[in-house]
Coordinates of all heavy atoms in Angstrom, one line a residue:
M1153 N -10.7 -41.3 4.5 CA -10.9 -40.7 5.8 C -9.8 -39.8 6.1 O -10.0 -38.7 6.7 CB -11.2 -41.8 6.8 CG -11.8 -41.2 8.0 SD -13.4 -40.6 7.6 CE -14.2 -40.6 9.2
Q1154 N -8.5 -40.2 5.8 CA -7.4 -39.4 6.1 C -7.4 -38.1 5.4 O -7.0 -37.1 5.9 CB -6.1 -40.2 5.8 CG -4.8 -39.5 6.1 CD -4.6 -39.3 7.6 OE1 -5.2 -39.9 8.4 NE2 -3.7 -38.3 7.9
F1155 N -7.8 -38.2 4.1 CA -7.9 -37.0 3.3 C -8.9 -36.0 3.9 O -8.6 -34.8 3.9 CB -8.3 -37.3 1.9 CG -8.5 -36.1 1.0 CD1 -7.4 -35.4 0.5 CD2 -9.8 -35.7 0.7 CE1 -7.6 -34.3 -0.3 CE2 -10.0 -34.6 -0.1 CZ -8.9 -33.9 -0.6
L1156 N -10.0 -36.5 4.4 CA -11.0 -35.6 5.0 C -10.4 -34.9 6.2 O -10.6 -33.7 6.4 CB -12.2 -36.4 5.4 CG -13.5 -35.7 5.4 CD1 -13.9 -35.4 4.0 CD2 -14.6 -36.6 6.0
K1157 N -9.6 -35.6 7.0 CA -9.0 -35.0 8.2 C -8.0 -34.0 7.8 O -8.0 -32.9 8.4 CB -8.3 -36.1 9.0 CG -7.5 -35.7 10.2 CD -8.4 -35.2 11.3 CE -7.6 -34.9 12.5 NZ -8.0 -33.8 13.3
Q1158 N -7.2 -34.2 6.7 CA -6.3 -33.2 6.3 C -7.0 -32.0 5.8 O -6.5 -30.9 6.0 CB -5.4 -33.8 5.2 CG -4.4 -34.8 5.7 CD -3.6 -35.5 4.5 OE1 -4.1 -35.5 3.4 NE2 -2.5 -36.1 4.9
S1159 N -8.1 -32.2 5.1 CA -8.9 -31.0 4.6 C -9.4 -30.2 5.7 O -9.4 -29.0 5.7 CB -10.0 -31.5 3.7 OG -9.5 -32.1 2.5
E1160 N -9.9 -30.9 6.7 CA -10.5 -30.2 7.9 C -9.3 -29.4 8.6 O -9.5 -28.2 9.0 CB -11.1 -31.1 8.9 CG -12.4 -31.7 8.4 CD -12.9 -32.8 9.3 OE1 -12.5 -32.9 10.5 OE2 -13.8 -33.6 8.9
D1161 N -8.2 -30.0 8.7 CA -7.0 -29.3 9.4 C -6.6 -28.1 8.5 O -6.3 -27.1 9.1 CB -5.9 -30.3 9.5 CG -6.1 -31.3 10.6 OD1 -7.1 -31.2 11.4 OD2 -5.4 -32.4 10.6
A1162 N -6.6 -28.2 7.2 CA -6.2 -27.1 6.3 C -7.2 -26.0 6.5 O -6.8 -24.8 6.5 CB -6.2 -27.6 4.9
L1163 N -8.5 -26.3 6.6 CA -9.5 -25.2 6.8 C -9.4 -24.5 8.1 O -9.5 -23.3 8.2 CB -10.9 -25.8 6.7 CG -11.4 -26.2 5.2 CD1 -12.7 -26.9 5.3 CD2 -11.5 -25.0 4.4
K1164 N -9.1 -25.3 9.1 CA -8.9 -24.7 10.5 C -7.6 -23.8 10.4 O -7.7 -22.7 11.0 CB -8.7 -25.8 11.5 CG -10.0 -26.5 11.9 CD -9.7 -27.6 12.9 CE -11.0 -28.4 13.2 NZ -10.7 -29.5 14.1
D1165 N -6.6 -24.3 9.8 CA -5.4 -23.5 9.7 C -5.6 -22.2 9.0 O -5.2 -21.1 9.4 CB -4.3 -24.3 9.0 CG -2.9 -23.6 9.0 OD1 -2.5 -23.1 10.0 OD2 -2.3 -23.5 7.9
K1166 N -6.4 -22.3 7.9 CA -6.7 -21.1 7.1 C -7.5 -20.1 7.9 O -7.3 -18.9 7.9 CB -7.5 -21.5 5.8 CG -7.7 -20.4 4.8 CD -6.4 -20.1 4.0 CE -6.7 -19.2 2.9 NZ -6.6 -19.7 1.6
R1167 N -8.5 -20.6 8.7 CA -9.3 -19.7 9.6 C -8.4 -19.0 10.6 O -8.5 -17.8 10.9 CB -10.4 -20.5 10.2 CG -11.6 -20.7 9.3 CD -12.8 -21.2 10.1 NE -12.5 -22.5 10.7 CZ -13.0 -23.7 10.2 NH1 -13.8 -23.6 9.1 NH2 -12.7 -24.8 10.7
R1168 N -7.4 -19.8 11.2 CA -6.5 -19.2 12.1 C -5.7 -18.1 11.5 O -5.4 -17.0 12.1 CB -5.6 -20.2 12.7 CG -6.3 -21.1 13.8 CD -5.3 -21.9 14.6 NE -4.6 -22.9 13.7 CZ -5.1 -24.1 13.5 NH1 -6.2 -24.5 14.2 NH2 -4.4 -25.0 12.8
M1169 N -5.2 -18.3 10.3 CA -4.4 -17.3 9.5 C -5.2 -16.1 9.3 O -4.7 -15.0 9.4 CB -3.9 -17.9 8.2 CG -2.8 -19.0 8.4 SD -1.4 -18.4 9.3 CE -1.7 -19.1 10.9
R1170 N -6.5 -16.3 8.8 CA -7.3 -15.1 8.6 C -7.5 -14.2 9.8 O -7.4 -13.0 9.8 CB -8.7 -15.5 8.1 CG -8.7 -16.0 6.7 CD -10.2 -16.3 6.3 NE -10.2 -17.0 5.0 CZ -10.7 -18.1 4.8 NH1 -11.3 -18.8 5.7 NH2 -10.7 -18.7 3.5
W1171 N -7.7 -14.9 11.0 CA -7.9 -14.2 12.2 C -6.6 -13.5 12.6 O -6.6 -12.3 13.0 CB -8.3 -15.1 13.3 CG -8.5 -14.4 14.6 CD1 -7.7 -14.4 15.7 CD2 -9.6 -13.6 14.9 NE1 -8.2 -13.6 16.7 CE2 -9.4 -13.1 16.3 CE3 -10.8 -13.1 14.3 CZ2 -10.3 -12.2 16.9 CZ3 -11.6 -12.3 14.9 CH2 -11.4 -11.8 16.2
A1172 N -5.4 -14.2 12.5 CA -4.2 -13.6 12.9 C -3.8 -12.4 12.0 O -3.0 -11.5 12.4 CB -3.1 -14.6 12.8
C1173 N -4.3 -12.4 10.8 CA -4.0 -11.3 9.8 C -4.8 -10.0 10.1 O -4.5 -9.0 9.6 CB -4.3 -11.7 8.4 SG -3.1 -12.9 7.8
R1174 N -5.7 -10.1 11.0 CA -6.4 -8.9 11.5 C -5.5 -8.1 12.4 O -5.4 -8.5 13.6 CB -7.7 -9.2 12.1 CG -8.7 -9.9 11.1 CD -9.9 -10.4 11.8 NE -10.5 -9.2 12.5 CZ -11.7 -9.2 13.0 NH1 -12.4 -10.3 13.0 NH2 -12.2 -8.1 13.6
R1175 N -4.9 -7.1 11.9 CA -3.9 -6.4 12.7 C -4.5 -5.1 13.3 O -5.6 -4.7 13.0 CB -2.7 -6.0 11.8 CG -2.1 -7.2 11.0 CD -1.7 -8.4 11.8 NE -0.6 -8.0 12.8 CZ 0.1 -8.9 13.4 NH1 -0.1 -10.2 13.3 NH2 1.1 -8.5 14.2
G1176 N -3.7 -4.4 14.0 CA -4.1 -3.1 14.6 C -3.9 -1.9 13.6 O -4.3 -0.8 14.0
M1177 N -3.3 -2.2 12.5 CA -3.0 -1.1 11.5 C -3.6 -1.5 10.2 O -3.4 -2.6 9.7 CB -1.5 -0.9 11.4 CG -0.8 -0.6 12.6 SD 1.0 -0.5 12.3 CE 1.4 1.2 12.7
L1178 N -4.3 -0.6 9.6 CA -5.0 -0.8 8.3 C -3.9 -1.1 7.2 O -4.1 -2.0 6.4 CB -5.8 0.4 7.9 CG -6.5 0.3 6.5 CD1 -7.5 -0.8 6.5 CD2 -7.2 1.6 6.2
E1179 N -2.8 -0.4 7.3 CA -1.7 -0.7 6.3 C -1.3 -2.1 6.3 O -0.9 -2.7 5.3 CB -0.5 0.2 6.6 CG -0.8 1.7 6.5 CD -1.3 2.3 7.8 OE1 -1.7 1.6 8.7 OE2 -1.4 3.6 7.8
L1180 N -1.3 -2.8 7.5 CA -0.9 -4.2 7.6 C -2.0 -5.1 7.1 O -1.8 -6.1 6.5 CB -0.4 -4.5 9.0 CG 0.9 -3.8 9.4 CD1 1.2 -4.1 10.9 CD2 2.0 -4.1 8.5
D1181 N -3.2 -4.7 7.5 CA -4.4 -5.5 7.1 C -4.5 -5.7 5.6 O -4.7 -6.7 5.1 CB -5.7 -4.8 7.6 CG -5.9 -5.0 9.1 OD1 -5.2 -5.8 9.7 OD2 -6.8 -4.2 9.6
V1182 N -4.2 -4.6 4.9 CA -4.3 -4.6 3.4 C -3.2 -5.4 2.8 O -3.3 -5.8 1.6 CB -4.4 -3.2 2.7 CG1 -5.6 -2.5 3.2 CG2 -3.1 -2.4 3.0
L1183 N -2.1 -5.7 3.5 CA -1.0 -6.6 3.0 C -1.3 -8.1 3.4 O -1.2 -8.9 2.6 CB 0.3 -6.2 3.7 CG 0.9 -4.9 3.1 CD1 2.1 -4.5 4.0 CD2 1.4 -5.1 1.7
F1184 N -1.7 -8.3 4.7 CA -1.8 -9.6 5.1 C -3.0 -10.4 4.7 O -2.9 -11.5 4.3 CB -1.7 -9.6 6.7 CG -0.3 -9.5 7.2 CD1 0.2 -8.3 7.6 CD2 0.5 -10.6 7.4 CE1 1.5 -8.2 8.1 CE2 1.8 -10.5 7.9 CZ 2.3 -9.3 8.2
A1185 N -4.2 -9.7 4.8 CA -5.4 -10.4 4.4 C -5.4 -11.0 3.0 O -5.7 -12.1 2.7 CB -6.6 -9.6 4.7
P1186 N -5.1 -10.1 2.0 CA -5.1 -10.7 0.6 C -4.0 -11.7 0.4 O -4.2 -12.7 -0.3 CB -4.8 -9.4 -0.2 CG -5.1 -8.3 0.6 CD -4.9 -8.7 2.0
F1187 N -2.9 -11.6 1.1 CA -1.8 -12.6 0.9 C -2.3 -14.0 1.4 O -2.1 -15.0 0.7 CB -0.6 -12.2 1.7 CG 0.6 -13.1 1.5 CD1 1.4 -13.0 0.4 CD2 0.9 -14.1 2.4 CE1 2.4 -13.9 0.2 CE2 1.9 -14.9 2.3 CZ 2.7 -14.8 1.1
V1188 N -3.0 -14.0 2.5 CA -3.5 -15.3 3.0 C -4.5 -15.9 2.1 O -4.5 -17.0 1.8 CB -4.1 -15.1 4.5 CG1 -5.0 -16.3 4.8 CG2 -3.0 -15.0 5.5
E1189 N -5.4 -15.0 1.6 CA -6.5 -15.5 0.6 C -5.9 -16.0 -0.7 O -6.3 -17.0 -1.2 CB -7.5 -14.4 0.4 CG -8.3 -14.1 1.6 CD -9.1 -15.3 2.2 OE1 -9.6 -16.2 1.4 OE2 -9.1 -15.4 3.4
E1190 N -4.9 -15.3 -1.2 CA -4.4 -15.5 -2.6 C -3.2 -16.4 -2.7 O -2.9 -17.0 -3.7 CB -4.2 -14.2 -3.3 CG -5.5 -13.4 -3.4 CD -5.2 -11.9 -3.7 OE1 -4.0 -11.6 -4.1 OE2 -6.2 -11.1 -3.7
A1191 N -2.3 -16.4 -1.6 CA -1.0 -17.0 -1.8 C -0.7 -18.0 -0.7 O 0.2 -18.9 -1.0 CB 0.1 -15.9 -1.8
Y1192 N -1.3 -18.0 0.4 CA -0.9 -18.9 1.5 C -0.9 -20.3 1.2 O 0.0 -21.1 1.5 CB -1.7 -18.6 2.8 CG -1.4 -19.4 4.0 CD1 -0.3 -19.1 4.7 CD2 -2.1 -20.5 4.3 CE1 0.1 -19.9 5.8 CE2 -1.8 -21.3 5.4 CZ -0.6 -21.0 6.2 OH -0.3 -21.7 7.3
D1193 N -1.9 -20.8 0.5 CA -2.1 -22.2 0.1 C -1.0 -22.7 -0.8 O -0.7 -23.8 -0.9 CB -3.4 -22.5 -0.5 CG -4.6 -22.3 0.5 OD1 -4.3 -22.4 1.7 OD2 -5.7 -22.0 0.0
Q1194 N -0.4 -21.8 -1.6 CA 0.7 -22.1 -2.5 C 2.1 -22.1 -1.9 O 3.0 -22.6 -2.5 CB 0.7 -21.2 -3.7 CG -0.4 -21.4 -4.7 CD -1.7 -20.8 -4.2 OE1 -1.8 -19.7 -3.7 NE2 -2.8 -21.6 -4.4
L1195 N 2.2 -21.7 -0.7 CA 3.5 -21.7 0.0 C 3.9 -23.1 0.4 O 3.0 -23.9 0.7 CB 3.4 -20.8 1.3 CG 3.1 -19.3 1.1 CD1 3.0 -18.7 2.5 CD2 4.2 -18.6 0.3
T1196 N 5.2 -23.3 0.5 CA 5.7 -24.6 1.0 C 5.4 -24.7 2.5 O 5.1 -23.6 3.1 CB 7.2 -24.8 0.8 OG1 7.9 -23.8 1.6 CG2 7.5 -24.6 -0.7
A1197 N 5.5 -25.8 3.1 CA 5.2 -26.0 4.5 C 6.2 -25.1 5.3 O 5.9 -24.5 6.3 CB 5.4 -27.4 5.0
E1198 N 7.5 -25.0 4.8 CA 8.5 -24.2 5.5 C 8.1 -22.7 5.4 O 8.2 -21.9 6.4 CB 9.9 -24.4 4.9 CG 10.4 -25.8 5.1 CD 9.9 -26.8 4.2 OE1 9.3 -26.5 3.1 OE2 10.0 -28.0 4.5
Q1199 N 7.6 -22.3 4.2 CA 7.2 -20.9 4.1 C 6.0 -20.5 4.9 O 5.9 -19.5 5.5 CB 6.9 -20.6 2.6 CG 8.2 -20.5 1.7 CD 7.8 -20.4 0.2 OE1 6.9 -21.1 -0.3 NE2 8.5 -19.5 -0.5
Q1200 N 5.1 -21.5 5.0 CA 3.9 -21.3 5.9 C 4.3 -21.1 7.3 O 3.8 -20.2 8.0 CB 2.9 -22.4 5.7 CG 2.2 -22.4 4.4 CD 1.2 -23.6 4.2 OE1 1.2 -24.5 5.1 NE2 0.4 -23.5 3.2
A1201 N 5.3 -21.9 7.7 CA 5.8 -21.8 9.1 C 6.4 -20.4 9.3 O 6.2 -19.7 10.4 CB 6.8 -22.9 9.4
V1202 N 7.2 -19.9 8.4 CA 7.8 -18.6 8.5 C 6.7 -17.5 8.5 O 6.8 -16.6 9.3 CB 8.8 -18.3 7.3 CG1 9.3 -16.9 7.3 CG2 10.0 -19.3 7.4
F1203 N 5.7 -17.7 7.7 CA 4.6 -16.7 7.6 C 3.9 -16.7 9.0 O 3.6 -15.6 9.5 CB 3.6 -17.0 6.5 CG 2.5 -16.1 6.5 CD1 2.6 -14.8 5.9 CD2 1.2 -16.4 7.0 CE1 1.6 -13.9 5.9 CE2 0.2 -15.5 6.9 CZ 0.3 -14.2 6.3
R1204 N 3.6 -17.8 9.6 CA 3.0 -17.9 10.9 C 3.9 -17.2 11.9 O 3.4 -16.5 12.8 CB 2.7 -19.3 11.3 CG 1.5 -19.9 10.5 CD 1.1 -21.3 11.1 NE 2.1 -22.3 11.1 CZ 2.4 -23.1 10.1 NH1 1.6 -23.0 9.0 NH2 3.3 -24.0 10.2
R1205 N 5.2 -17.4 11.8 CA 6.1 -16.7 12.8 C 6.1 -15.2 12.6 O 6.1 -14.4 13.5 CB 7.5 -17.2 12.5 CG 8.4 -17.0 13.7 CD 9.6 -18.0 13.7 NE 10.4 -17.9 12.5 CZ 11.5 -17.1 12.4 NH1 11.8 -16.2 13.3 NH2 12.2 -17.1 11.3
L1206 N 6.0 -14.8 11.3 CA 5.9 -13.3 11.0 C 4.7 -12.7 11.7 O 4.7 -11.6 12.2 CB 5.8 -13.1 9.5 CG 5.8 -11.7 9.0 CD1 7.2 -11.0 9.2 CD2 5.5 -11.6 7.5
L1207 N 3.6 -13.5 11.7 CA 2.4 -13.0 12.3 C 2.5 -12.8 13.8 O 1.6 -12.1 14.4 CB 1.2 -13.9 12.0 CG 0.7 -13.9 10.6 CD1 -0.4 -15.0 10.4 CD2 0.2 -12.5 10.2
T1208 N 3.5 -13.3 14.5 CA 3.7 -13.2 15.9 C 4.4 -11.9 16.2 O 4.6 -11.5 17.4 CB 4.4 -14.4 16.5 OG1 5.7 -14.4 16.0 CG2 3.7 -15.7 16.2
C1209 N 5.0 -11.2 15.2 CA 5.7 -10.0 15.4 C 4.8 -8.8 15.8 O 3.6 -8.8 15.4 CB 6.6 -9.7 14.2 SG 7.8 -10.9 13.8
D1210 N 5.4 -7.8 16.4 CA 4.6 -6.7 16.8 C 4.3 -5.8 15.6 O 5.2 -5.7 14.7 CB 5.4 -5.8 17.8 CG 5.6 -6.5 19.2 OD1 4.7 -7.3 19.5 OD2 6.6 -6.3 19.8
D1211 N 3.2 -5.2 15.6 CA 2.8 -4.3 14.5 C 3.8 -3.2 14.1 O 4.0 -3.0 13.0 CB 1.4 -3.7 14.7 CG 0.3 -4.7 14.5 OD1 0.5 -5.9 14.1 OD2 -0.9 -4.4 14.8
P1212 N 4.3 -2.5 15.1 CA 5.3 -1.4 14.8 C 6.5 -2.0 14.0 O 7.0 -1.3 13.1 CB 5.7 -0.8 16.1 CG 4.5 -1.1 17.0 CD 4.0 -2.5 16.6
D1213 N 7.0 -3.2 14.4 CA 8.1 -3.8 13.7 C 7.7 -4.2 12.3 O 8.4 -3.9 11.3 CB 8.6 -5.0 14.4 CG 9.3 -4.7 15.7 OD1 9.8 -3.6 15.9 OD2 9.2 -5.6 16.6
L1214 N 6.5 -4.8 12.1 CA 6.0 -5.2 10.8 C 5.9 -4.0 9.9 O 6.3 -4.0 8.8 CB 4.7 -5.9 10.9 CG 4.7 -7.3 11.6 CD1 3.3 -7.8 11.9 CD2 5.5 -8.3 10.7
F1215 N 5.3 -2.9 10.5 CA 5.1 -1.7 9.7 C 6.4 -1.2 9.2 O 6.6 -0.8 8.0 CB 4.4 -0.6 10.5 CG 4.1 0.6 9.8 CD1 3.0 0.7 8.9 CD2 4.9 1.7 10.0 CE1 2.8 1.9 8.2 CE2 4.7 2.9 9.3 CZ 3.6 3.0 8.4
A1216 N 7.4 -1.1 10.1 CA 8.7 -0.6 9.7 C 9.4 -1.4 8.6 O 10.0 -0.9 7.7 CB 9.6 -0.5 10.9
W1217 N 9.2 -2.8 8.7 CA 9.8 -3.7 7.7 C 9.1 -3.5 6.4 O 9.8 -3.5 5.3 CB 9.8 -5.1 8.2 CG 10.5 -5.4 9.5 CD1 11.5 -4.6 10.0 CD2 10.2 -6.5 10.4 NE1 11.9 -5.2 11.2 CE2 11.1 -6.3 11.5 CE3 9.3 -7.5 10.4 CZ2 11.1 -7.2 12.5 CZ3 9.4 -8.4 11.4 CH2 10.3 -8.2 12.5
F1218 N 7.8 -3.5 6.4 CA 7.1 -3.5 5.1 C 7.2 -2.1 4.4 O 7.1 -2.0 3.2 CB 5.6 -3.9 5.3 CG 5.4 -5.3 5.4 CD1 5.3 -6.0 6.6 CD2 5.4 -6.1 4.2 CE1 5.1 -7.4 6.6 CE2 5.2 -7.5 4.2 CZ 5.1 -8.1 5.4
M1219 N 7.3 -1.1 5.2 CA 7.4 0.3 4.6 C 8.8 0.6 4.3 O 9.1 1.7 3.7 CB 6.8 1.3 5.6 CG 5.3 1.1 5.9 SD 4.4 1.2 4.4 CE 3.3 -0.3 4.7
G1220 N 9.8 -0.2 4.6 CA 11.2 0.0 4.3 C 11.9 1.0 5.2 O 13.0 1.5 4.9
H1221 N 11.3 1.2 6.4 CA 11.9 2.2 7.3 C 13.0 1.5 8.1 O 13.9 2.2 8.7 CB 10.9 2.7 8.3 CG 9.8 3.5 7.6 ND1 8.6 3.7 8.2 CD2 9.7 4.0 6.4 CE1 7.8 4.4 7.4 NE2 8.4 4.6 6.3
Q1222 N 13.0 0.2 8.1 CA 13.9 -0.6 8.9 C 14.1 -1.9 8.3 O 13.2 -2.5 7.7 CB 13.3 -0.7 10.3 CG 14.2 -1.1 11.4 CD 13.4 -1.1 12.7 OE1 12.5 -1.9 12.9 NE2 13.8 -0.2 13.6
A1223 N 15.3 -2.5 8.4 CA 15.6 -3.9 7.9 C 15.2 -4.9 8.9 O 15.5 -4.7 10.1 CB 17.0 -4.0 7.5
C1224 N 14.6 -5.9 8.5 CA 14.2 -7.0 9.4 C 15.5 -7.8 9.8 O 16.2 -8.2 8.9 CB 13.2 -8.0 8.7 SG 12.8 -9.4 9.8
P1225 N 15.8 -8.0 11.1 CA 17.0 -8.6 11.5 C 17.1 -10.1 11.2 O 18.1 -10.7 11.2 CB 17.1 -8.3 12.9 CG 15.7 -8.1 13.4 CD 15.0 -7.5 12.2
D1226 N 15.9 -10.7 11.0 CA 15.8 -12.2 10.8 C 15.8 -12.5 9.4 O 14.8 -12.1 8.7 CB 14.6 -12.7 11.5 CG 14.4 -14.2 11.4 OD1 14.3 -14.7 10.3 OD2 14.4 -14.9 12.5
P1227 N 16.7 -13.2 8.8 CA 16.7 -13.5 7.4 C 15.5 -14.2 6.8 O 15.0 -13.9 5.7 CB 18.0 -14.3 7.2 CG 18.8 -14.2 8.4 CD 17.9 -13.8 9.5
E1228 N 15.0 -15.1 7.6 CA 13.8 -15.9 7.1 C 12.6 -14.9 7.0 O 11.8 -14.9 6.1 CB 13.4 -17.0 8.0 CG 14.3 -18.2 7.8 CD 13.9 -19.4 8.7 OE1 13.3 -19.2 9.8 OE2 14.1 -20.5 8.2
L1229 N 12.4 -14.1 8.1 CA 11.3 -13.2 8.1 C 11.5 -12.1 7.0 O 10.5 -11.7 6.4 CB 11.1 -12.5 9.5 CG 10.8 -13.5 10.6 CD1 10.7 -12.7 11.9 CD2 9.5 -14.2 10.4
A1230 N 12.7 -11.7 6.9 CA 13.0 -10.7 5.8 C 12.6 -11.2 4.4 O 12.1 -10.5 3.6 CB 14.5 -10.3 5.9
G1231 N 12.9 -12.5 4.2 CA 12.6 -13.1 3.0 C 11.1 -13.2 2.7 O 10.6 -13.0 1.6
M1232 N 10.3 -13.4 3.8 CA 8.9 -13.5 3.7 C 8.3 -12.1 3.4 O 7.4 -11.9 2.6 CB 8.2 -14.1 5.0 CG 6.7 -14.2 4.9 SD 6.1 -15.2 3.5 CE 6.8 -16.8 3.8
V1233 N 8.9 -11.1 4.1 CA 8.5 -9.7 3.8 C 8.7 -9.4 2.4 O 7.8 -8.8 1.7 CB 9.2 -8.7 4.7 CG1 9.0 -7.3 4.3 CG2 8.8 -8.9 6.2
E1234 N 9.9 -9.7 1.8 CA 10.2 -9.5 0.4 C 9.2 -10.2 -0.5 O 8.7 -9.6 -1.5 CB 11.6 -9.9 0.2 CG 12.1 -9.6 -1.2 CD 13.6 -10.0 -1.4 OE1 14.3 -10.0 -0.5 OE2 13.9 -10.3 -2.6
L1235 N 8.9 -11.4 -0.2 CA 8.0 -12.2 -1.0 C 6.6 -11.5 -1.1 O 6.0 -11.4 -2.1 CB 7.9 -13.6 -0.5 CG 6.8 -14.5 -1.2 CD1 7.3 -14.9 -2.6 CD2 6.5 -15.7 -0.3
M1236 N 6.2 -11.1 0.1 CA 4.9 -10.5 0.2 C 4.8 -9.1 -0.6 O 3.9 -8.8 -1.3 CB 4.4 -10.3 1.6 CG 4.2 -11.6 2.4 SD 3.8 -11.3 4.1 CE 2.2 -10.5 4.0
L1237 N 5.9 -8.4 -0.4 CA 6.0 -7.1 -1.1 C 6.0 -7.3 -2.7 O 5.4 -6.5 -3.4 CB 7.2 -6.3 -0.7 CG 7.0 -5.7 0.7 CD1 8.3 -5.0 1.2 CD2 5.9 -4.7 0.8
K1238 N 6.7 -8.3 -3.1 CA 6.8 -8.6 -4.6 C 5.4 -8.9 -5.1 O 5.0 -8.5 -6.2 CB 7.7 -9.7 -4.8 CG 9.2 -9.3 -4.8 CD 10.0 -10.5 -5.1 CE 11.5 -10.1 -5.1 NZ 12.4 -11.3 -5.3
R1239 N 4.6 -9.6 -4.3 CA 3.2 -10.0 -4.8 C 2.4 -8.8 -4.8 O 1.5 -8.7 -5.7 CB 2.6 -11.0 -3.8 CG 3.2 -12.4 -4.0 CD 2.4 -13.4 -3.2 NE 1.0 -13.4 -3.6 CZ 0.5 -14.1 -4.7 NH1 1.3 -14.8 -5.4 NH2 -0.8 -14.1 -4.9
V1240 N 2.6 -7.8 -4.0 CA 1.8 -6.6 -4.0 C 2.1 -5.7 -5.2 O 1.2 -5.2 -5.8 CB 2.0 -5.8 -2.7 CG1 1.4 -4.4 -2.8 CG2 1.5 -6.5 -1.5
K1241 N 3.3 -5.7 -5.6 CA 3.8 -4.8 -6.7 C 3.4 -5.4 -8.0 O 3.4 -4.7 -9.0 CB 5.3 -4.6 -6.6 CG 5.7 -3.8 -5.4 CD 7.2 -3.6 -5.4 CE 7.6 -2.8 -4.1 NZ 9.0 -2.7 -4.0
V1242 N 3.1 -6.7 -8.1 CA 2.8 -7.3 -9.4 C 1.4 -6.9 -9.9 O 0.5 -6.5 -9.2 CB 2.9 -8.8 -9.3 CG1 2.3 -9.5 -10.6 CG2 4.3 -9.2 -9.0

C-alpha cells in the first residue's frame, strides 16, 4: 500500500512539473518539456528540488541564462541550467 501511495505522489509531481514547464516563451518550452519527460525521473531528490526552484524563476531570466546572455547568480540553478543544456546538445 505504501508503494502505491509513492507511485501516486510521483505521478502527481510529474503532472505538476509538466504544467510548470509550460512557459510564456517557446524557446523555454522546447527546453523544459522534453527535460521533464526524459530526464526528471532520473534526477536525485536534491536535483529535482533545484529543478523545481528553477521553474519559479522569471522567463526573461531563464531565457538569458539558457541563451548565454547572462550568468545565473545562483550556483545550484546555474548547475541545473548547465545540466539541461548538456542534455540538449547530446
Side-chain angles (χ1 to χ4, degrees):
M1153 195 63 159
Q1154 181 66 17
F1155 176 75
L1156 209 67
K1157 176 72 172 145
Q1158 289 174 339
S1159 293
E1160 289 174 17
D1161 290 344
L1163 287 174
K1164 287 179 185 175
D1165 185 50
K1166 188 76 171 251
R1167 282 192 292 256
R1168 281 191 295 270
M1169 291 302 98
R1170 284 184 189 123
W1171 181 256
C1173 285
R1174 295 176 57 172
R1175 311 303 297 193
M1177 300 175 120
L1178 179 61
E1179 295 87 349
L1180 296 176
D1181 288 345
V1182 298
L1183 287 169
F1184 281 94
F1187 185 80
V1188 162
E1189 292 303 321
E1190 299 165 8
Y1192 182 77
D1193 293 334
Q1194 286 77 43
L1195 298 177
T1196 66
E1198 293 81 16
Q1199 288 173 315
Q1200 288 180 351
V1202 172
F1203 181 76
R1204 286 191 299 272
R1205 199 159 59 87
L1206 185 68
L1207 290 175
T1208 66
C1209 297
D1210 293 330
D1211 284 357
D1213 291 332
L1214 292 170
F1215 181 80
W1217 300 338
F1218 279 99
M1219 298 302 134
H1221 300 160
Q1222 197 176 65
C1224 178
D1226 182 301
E1228 284 185 330
L1229 296 180
M1232 183 56 61
V1233 168
E1234 185 177 330
L1235 174 73
M1236 292 175 69
L1237 287 173
K1238 282 182 183 175
R1239 288 193 54 86
V1240 170
K1241 291 179 183 178
V1242 171

